[in-house]
Amino acid sequence: WQLRLLHFKDACFWTLGVLVSSIQLLVIIAFLANLSEVDEWKWLISFAVVLVRKMLLVPLLACLFASLGTEIAAWSQPSIVSQPPKKLGLDMDLLEGKAVLEMEEEGELTETWTQKVEELAQRGITIRQLLDFYASLGTLMPHFDPDRSTTHDVVRQAIIPNSLHYRNWRTFMVVVHQASDLAAM
């Protein structure tokens, strides 16, 4: 049902867009057809100038000023470019002047680097967890149909509600443990 509604909205959007564009093209053609020969060249030249300005000049100037602004910011505050944001947890001092492969060959990979690689490698789920989740979709989403249900449907109707359930349950457990002093036992 949602997929049909989405296709209908897409069809309406494209139909309306083609219709509006066709009307605009018809108005332009009617305008050009009614020009006298004296005014025709003036309008064609002004059209060419507008086209060059919109298609070439403005994008090129935007790129130039954007890159110039970036370079000025990097020059005035080098710390912006030299260090990644702290929330990413990356230590760029590990790579000072050496590539990772060179460091690995020389045995100079630090413990911080190794821990970060292991932490990133552990993110994810196993095949067993994926198959168990697929098997439980019948209870989590009674209307689940593998041929019709989209990823969006599964995320919104199974994963998010199930995640909220566990999060609230854990929060409830912590509150109960703290209130009844079970955490101290």
Side-chain angles (χ1 to χ4, degrees), residues 122-136:
Q122 296 301 321
R123 293 182 183 176
I125 62 172
T126 64
I127 297 295
R128 171 56 44 208
Q129 290 169 327
L130 181 64
L131 291 173
D132 288 343
F133 174 73
Y134 183 75
S136 70

Side-chain angles (χ1 to χ4, degrees), residues 94 109-119:
L94 297 174
L109 282 178
T110 63
E111 188 64 28
T112 308
W113 181 270
T114 307
Q115 287 174 351
K116 180 53 76 174
V117 169
E118 287 175 3
E119 176 195 338

Side-chain angles (χ1 to χ4, degrees), residues 83-161:
Q83 292 295 325
K86 298 260 189 241
K87 65 182 177 184
L88 294 179
L90 299 174
D91 188 6
M92 296 306 286
D93 295 333
L94 297 174
L95 300 176
E96 219 170 83
K98 295 184 178 182
V100 176
L101 293 176
E102 292 173 1
M103 290 172 64
E104 192 175 25
E105 289 172 1
E106 297 174 12
E108 293 182 19
L109 282 178
T110 63
E111 188 64 28
T112 308
W113 181 270
T114 307
Q115 287 174 351
K116 180 53 76 174
V117 169
E118 287 175 3
E119 176 195 338
L120 292 173
Q122 296 301 321
R123 293 182 183 176
I125 62 172
T126 64
I127 297 295
R128 171 56 44 208
Q129 290 169 327
L130 181 64
L131 291 173
D132 288 343
F133 174 73
Y134 183 75
S136 70
L137 275 178
T139 57
L140 294 173
M141 258 178 87
H143 56 281
F144 175 73
D145 180 9
D147 294 329
R148 293 184 179 203
S149 296
T150 63
T151 305
H152 183 267
D153 297 336
V154 173
V155 168
R156 294 287 180 193
Q157 297 167 16
I159 294 175
I160 292 175

Side-chain angles (χ1 to χ4, degrees), residues 37-108:
E37 286 188 31
V38 175
D39 295 330
E40 187 175 322
W41 284 105
K42 292 178 189 176
W43 281 103
L44 286 177
I45 291 172
S46 64
F47 175 73
V49 168
V50 168
L51 195 63
V52 167
R53 189 180 72 207
K54 293 284 185 186
M55 297 294 200
L56 288 174
L57 197 58
V58 170
L60 287 176
L61 288 176
C63 289
L64 176 70
F65 285 123
S67 60
L68 185 63
T70 304
E71 289 299 320
I72 289 173
W75 176 72
S76 65
Q77 294 180 349
S79 63
I80 292 176
V81 191
S82 63
Q83 292 295 325
K86 298 260 189 241
K87 65 182 177 184
L88 294 179
L90 299 174
D91 188 6
M92 296 306 286
D93 295 333
L94 297 174
L95 300 176
E96 219 170 83
K98 295 184 178 182
V100 176
L101 293 176
E102 292 173 1
M103 290 172 64
E104 192 175 25
E105 289 172 1
E106 297 174 12
E108 293 182 19

